[in-house]
Amino acid sequence: MRYSVFFLLFCNLISAQTDYPKDYFRPPLDIPMQLSGNFGELRPNHFHAGFDLKTNQREGLNVYAVADGYISRIKISTFGNGKTLYVTHPNGYTSVYGHLQSMVGTIQEYIKKTHYQEKSFEIEMFLKPGEMVVTKGQLIGLSGNTGSSEGPHLHFEFRDSKTEFVINPMLFGFDKYVRDTKKPVISNLYVYPLDDNTTVNQSKVPLMLNLTLQKDGTYLSDRVATNGKIGFGITAVDYDDVSFNKNGVYKVESFYNGNSNFGYQFNTYSFDEMRYINALIDYPRYKKTGQRVQKLFMKTPFALSIIKTDALNGVLPVVPNLASAYRVEVSDFYGNINTVNIPVQYDSLPAIVNPTPEASNYSVKYNKDANFSKNNMSVFFPAGTFYDDFNLNFDVKNDRIYIHDDTVPVHSNFTITIEDGKYPENLKDKVYIGRITGKSGSYNATSRKDNVYTAKSKTLGQFGLVLDTIKPTISIAKTIQDKWISDVKKIQFTISDSMSGIKSYNGYLNGNWILFEYDNKTKKITHDFNDGIVAEGANDLKIEVVDNVGNSAIFETRFFRSQTK
């Protein structure tokens, strides 16, 4: 515990003292900068690591190196940031360019060569200084929509080259490219009773407080009458003058009787800390409603370095004969501030609103190992799997293991084990442990020893064994069998798997491996004839797709093509 507190204070001290260069880097695009996502924005299971820059709702815009350096890493993935370039600069920072449509020039030639050498669309390359040098303003790629992007844009990051900590681009002077005169908007304020004995406004469940705008531009909340330990939470977004979409807030700080008692600001953090977003927000409310309430307290401390807190971790112990004042300030990078004042006083009136009893039969301590088993199934939680102690609902029935529900956040993997000998030997490798939702069971990578199946998960819920003997599907919108397709620049197929999901796919033209690029959003694979593998005249094409348990599908066809016009 002492180490965690020291770590938090140390990281805040370091980030506050860093002097970032303000005029060293240029923007990566040559259009006016507009944000569709900012640094620290709250995303599923992570904080956003950089800027999402708008590209006029289209692909193919020029992307430039923001300073001199060398390409240190190239990653081509079907998920995440898709096609991504990393440029390491001599001043100790690395710039990252994600969701690219393609790279250009010798960079693209190097990538294409590696695809064919490794016979894979998904590749990752680490380059040494001097191998691929770029200069400030050099064209390095074209903007796109690859990976898990939900629309055309450029994902752009800065990282510390040694530590890999991501850094807010605003700290490098990028604030001068965006005008922002608007205050953040605090849309909701919640108060939380933090133990079984505490009531708040005669309620033992969290309450939303009404906010009233004051003449000075601040807000005043409903009075909070309580008799124990409480905490607060907010929902807040930020707007600038040019983008007109909701972004995350830069800084949140709360004050109790004039003293700062909890806060955080999004300057820099590590990828190892990303999942702590699920501890920072009211996770059960998020899963039930989609609303992300940012808590201003830690019931159990967790090592998120952006947090600065007092000895009570933002918890307010309200005692008799003492009226208290609580204040929340939310600000953006430009210093625009929105303030809410909350009057707090002691009140011993009994509760008239009580929590709904939870269906639970076990308890879990967040800092201790726990193992639960029944019949032929068990689950093991290593210490640190959860953020807080909680009451667990566990059962095994009807060939399923019930492990609470997904309203409790999970920080690290837990292990599910199922022993079952009902499957014949020839089908055992077609069985996996799936998380059951409705009639389907999502795939979890599963290992087997004899009749014992084991898988890991970071999501609670129902699990069971799923048998998958169904082959993937391969289809083309319009047949090319025995047809001349000389005027076609690219050939495209749709591949999918209804159960365990696609593990691999490969295409062969006249017996030679060819590159098919895969878009996971559309489930389409595309081959560009400019790769130069196609032959004059007749061509035999074969595509093989394999799912995660080894079922395979093969598509074969013959087409004709003339290379001369």
Side-chain angles (χ1 to χ4, degrees):
M1 188 71 70
R2 289 180 179 177
Y3 173 79
S4 297
V5 172
F6 173 79
F7 175 74
L8 297 179
L9 295 175
F10 176 77
C11 288
N12 276 283
L13 180 64
I14 291 298
S15 66
Q17 291 178 340
T18 303
D19 184 18
Y20 298 98
K22 298 297 190 294
D23 299 306
Y24 189 89
F25 298 104
R26 57 152 285 169
L29 300 171
D30 54 10
I31 60 173
M33 195 168 85
Q34 287 187 291
L35 299 177
S36 60
N38 65 344
F39 186 83
E41 195 168 275
L42 309 181
R43 300 285 179 88
N45 296 318
H46 70 286
F47 303 105
H48 193 224
F51 282 173
D52 283 344
L53 301 178
K54 293 186 178 183
T55 56
N56 296 332
Q57 298 181 337
R58 62 189 180 94
E59 299 182 45
L61 273 63
N62 289 343
V63 177
Y64 303 95
V66 296
D68 293 350
Y70 72 96
I71 294 176
S72 54
R73 182 183 177 193
I74 303 170
K75 186 174 183 179
I76 312 295
S77 173
T78 57
F79 296 95
N81 286 332
K83 297 181 180 181
T84 311
L85 273 179
Y86 301 74
V87 177
T88 295
H89 306 284
N91 64 346
Y93 301 104
T94 294
S95 54
V96 182
Y97 315 76
H99 303 308
L100 297 175
Q101 181 187 73
S102 67
M103 290 61 167
V104 297
T106 56
I107 308 171
Q108 182 63 20
E109 292 172 4
Y110 178 79
I111 293 170
K112 185 62 67 75
K113 181 180 178 181
T114 305
H115 281 307
Y116 278 92
Q117 284 178 340
E118 298 189 10
K119 295 183 178 181
S120 175
F121 171 58
E122 292 198 273
I123 54 176
E124 186 169 15
M125 297 154 280
F126 295 90
L127 289 78
K128 298 177 181 179
E131 282 191 76
M132 199 169 290
V133 174
V134 296
T135 57
K136 185 175 184 177
Q138 179 180 329
L139 178 64
I140 57 176
L142 301 176
S143 68
N145 186 29
T146 57
S148 299
S149 171
E150 296 181 354
H153 72 278
L154 175 68
H155 175 81
F156 177 72
E157 296 176 18
F158 281 116
R159 300 184 185 181
D160 184 293
S161 299
K162 290 183 178 179
T163 66
E164 283 286 300
F165 274 52
V166 290
I167 305 166
N168 192 335
M170 291 294 189
L171 296 170
F172 294 95
F174 276 58
D175 54 321
K176 64 188 174 187
Y177 301 112
V178 177
R179 178 175 170 81
D180 183 356
T181 61
K182 299 178 180 179
K183 294 180 180 180
V185 175
I186 301 174
S187 50
N188 297 106
L189 173 69
Y190 289 88
V191 59
Y192 293 81
L194 296 183
D195 59 39
D196 294 337
N197 298 318
T198 298
T199 62
V200 178
N201 295 355
Q202 293 190 271
S203 173
K204 288 195 172 186
V205 301
L207 293 176
M208 187 173 72
L209 302 172
N210 294 315
L211 301 177
T212 304
L213 181 63
Q214 305 299 295
K215 291 182 179 180
D216 64 356
T218 64
Y219 285 85
L220 179 66
S221 85
D222 291 342
R223 179 176 62 91
V224 174
T226 183
N227 54 11
K229 295 180 179 180
I230 61 172
F232 289 88
I234 61 165
T235 59
V237 296
D238 189 36
Y239 298 87
D240 59 45
D241 295 357
V242 296
S243 299
F244 308 111
N245 56 279
K246 297 177 182 178
N247 289 319
V249 297
Y250 171 63
K251 182 180 180 181
V252 180
E253 189 170 12
S254 61
F255 302 83
Y256 188 45
N257 293 330
N259 298 313
S260 176
N261 75 327
F262 196 89
Y264 41 89
Q265 65 184 46
F266 290 97
N267 285 335
T268 179
Y269 42 82
S270 74
F271 284 95
D272 290 341
E273 299 176 83
M274 291 290 196
R275 200 170 176 87
Y276 282 120
I277 184 177
N278 295 332
L280 183 67
I281 65 172
D282 181 344
Y283 190 82
R285 184 179 298 274
Y286 165 62
K287 294 302 294 186
K288 293 173 183 176
T289 68
Q291 183 187 54
R292 293 187 178 97
V293 178
Q294 301 172 229
K295 295 187 294 187
L296 301 175
F297 63 92
M298 292 187 292
K299 192 173 181 181
T300 303
F302 51 92
L304 177 57
S305 64
I306 63 172
I307 291 177
K308 181 180 179 181
T309 183
D310 63 8
L312 297 178
N313 298 309
V315 175
L316 277 59
V318 181
V319 296
N321 303 318
L322 181 65
S324 305
Y326 185 79
R327 184 173 85 252
V328 178
E329 293 183 355
V330 180
S331 57
D332 61 26
F333 192 85
Y334 297 80
N336 302 305
I337 299 176
N338 205 339
T339 302
V340 178
N341 291 293
I342 305 105
V344 180
Q345 71 177 51
Y346 182 85
D347 192 328
S348 60
L349 289 175
I352 58 176
V353 179
N354 290 287
T356 303
E358 296 181 353
S360 60
N361 48 4
Y362 296 95
S363 61
V364 174
K365 301 292 184 183
Y366 81 96
N367 59 350
K368 293 184 178 181
D369 293 349
N371 189 83
F372 302 95
S373 61
K374 183 178 178 181
N375 301 334
N376 62 326
M377 303 187 187
S378 66
V379 59
F380 173 68
F381 302 118
T385 301
F386 303 103
Y387 302 111
D388 292 299
D389 300 345
F390 76 102
N391 294 322
L392 171 77
N393 185 27
F394 170 81
D395 202 359
V396 172
K397 56 185 178 182
N398 302 323
D399 293 327
R400 292 185 184 179
I401 181 170
Y402 293 77
I403 313 171
H404 209 76
D405 59 57
D406 66 353
T407 60
V408 174
V410 178
H411 187 71
S412 54
N413 281 318
F414 60 89
T415 303
I416 303 160
T417 302
I418 301 177
E419 183 174 2
D420 198 323
K422 68 182 179 183
Y423 297 102
E425 195 64 34
N426 64 319
L427 293 180
K428 287 181 179 179
D429 288 336
K430 305 294 185 185
V431 175
Y432 63 91
I433 295 177
R435 183 172 179 271
I436 311 298
T437 53
K439 295 182 179 180
S440 62
S442 59
Y443 178 76
N444 287 276
T446 303
S447 61
R448 178 181 66 86
K449 183 176 182 181
D450 298 325
N451 294 327
V452 179
Y453 300 83
T454 303
K456 296 183 182 298
S457 178
K458 286 185 179 179
T459 306
L460 300 177
Q462 303 177 31
F463 297 83
L465 293 181
V466 179
L467 174 63
D468 178 8
T469 59
I470 302 174
K471 296 179 180 181
T473 60
I474 309 169
S475 62
I476 188 170
K478 187 177 181 180
T479 183
I480 59 173
Q481 180 67 42
D482 296 325
K483 295 183 181 294
W484 284 86
I485 56 170
S486 303
D487 294 332
V488 176
K489 295 181 179 180
K490 297 180 180 181
I491 189 170
Q492 191 173 77
F493 293 82
T494 300
I495 63 174
S496 62
D497 187 80
S498 61
M499 296 194 69
S500 61
I502 293 171
K503 180 179 182 180
S504 65
Y505 69 91
N506 287 284
Y508 302 90
L509 195 58
N510 304 318
N512 298 310
W513 186 90
I514 58 172
L515 173 64
F516 273 98
E517 296 198 1
Y518 178 59
D519 181 353
N520 76 79
K521 297 183 288 291
T522 62
K523 309 301 180 187
K524 295 186 183 301
I525 57 173
T526 304
H527 173 69
D528 190 332
F529 285 127
N530 285 330
D531 285 4
I533 311 299
V534 67
E536 181 74 21
N539 285 268
D540 293 316
L541 176 66
K542 177 182 176 181
I543 299 173
E544 182 177 15
V545 180
V546 182
D547 68 17
N548 278 298
V549 295
N551 299 307
S552 64
I554 295 176
F555 179 99
E556 294 183 289
T557 189
R558 168 174 284 199
F559 64 87
F560 297 88
R561 184 175 175 86
S562 174
Q563 301 299 91
T564 59
K565 292 187 178 180

